[in-house]
Amino acid sequence: MNRVNLFVIGVNKAGTSWLYYLLDHHPDVFMADAKELYYFGEAGPEEEGPKTLKAYHRHFPFDQDYRYFGDATVMYYKSAATADEIRAYNPDAKLLAIVHDPIQRLLSQFQYNKQLGLIDEATSLSEALPDRRSLIGGTSSTPVTTKRPFRRTPIGSGRIGSRS
């Protein structure tokens, strides 16, 4: 079947580029020649992404012997309509969703915005988010903690599709 059968979705600053890189180096996986194709849905920049299925498929060598052909466009997670489009395109596709501890994600995005120059280097997190503690799980009278609410579990060393 000449269809993409692996999709990587997730939130910004959660490690999707790292996962794309790892999958791209796996011998059974061909990841699209560009990350963030924005073919499905309407979440991508208008000037980016292939406009037709034929143009989308040009990113994948379906004539080669790979088990998985992957598209890593994180914004696909934002819309149920996009999920329906992907399901209609290939109902047997695998979906890898990567998320991030919300507090750690906030801190990572904050530092990234400083690197981009969107926030002045000297600005503290509390200065950048005045009266917005509800966005990160607290209230104005509740201190915000950076304790990890999630239990970390190891990701097995098995190959894609294996049970080990």
Side-chain angles (χ1 to χ4, degrees), residues 13-139:
K13 312 310 296 166
T16 55
S17 294
W18 172 78
L19 182 57
Y20 171 87
Y21 173 82
L22 291 176
L23 290 169
D24 194 42
H25 284 80
H26 193 284
D28 291 340
V29 179
F30 181 90
M31 294 302 290
D33 54 7
K35 187 172 175 269
E36 307 285 345
L37 289 178
Y38 296 109
Y39 176 68
F40 296 98
E42 297 180 15
E46 191 62 34
E47 64 278 358
E48 290 188 37
K51 305 295 183 225
T52 66
L53 184 61
K54 186 175 181 176
Y56 178 63
H57 280 177
R58 283 190 199 118
H59 293 272
F60 306 95
F62 291 121
D63 60 332
Q64 294 184 24
D65 191 30
Y66 289 98
R67 184 171 179 184
Y68 293 98
F69 294 92
D71 175 354
T73 304
V74 298
M75 302 313 262
Y76 289 166
Y77 83 92
K78 286 191 166 193
S79 163
T82 302
D84 290 339
E85 280 184 57
I86 292 171
R87 184 180 304 115
Y89 167 77
N90 187 351
D92 296 322
K94 306 294 183 206
L95 183 71
L96 298 175
I98 188 166
V99 295
H100 199 174
D101 174 322
I103 300 298
Q104 294 304 315
R105 188 214 175 279
L106 171 75
L107 296 172
S108 179
Q109 186 70 48
F110 175 67
Q111 290 302 322
Y112 183 63
N113 286 348
K114 281 185 168 186
Q115 289 173 356
L116 293 176
L118 300 173
I119 298 174
D120 184 83
E121 228 7 85
T123 303
S124 71
L125 180 62
S126 60
E127 292 169 329
L129 297 174
D131 301 320
R132 294 189 181 141
R133 290 184 180 271
S134 63
L135 294 175
I136 56 175
T139 65

Side-chain angles (χ1 to χ4, degrees), residues 149-163:
F150 304 107
R151 181 172 52 96
R152 296 195 182 260
T153 56
I155 301 172
S157 60
R159 291 170 49 106
I160 291 177
S162 72
R163 300 267 180 202

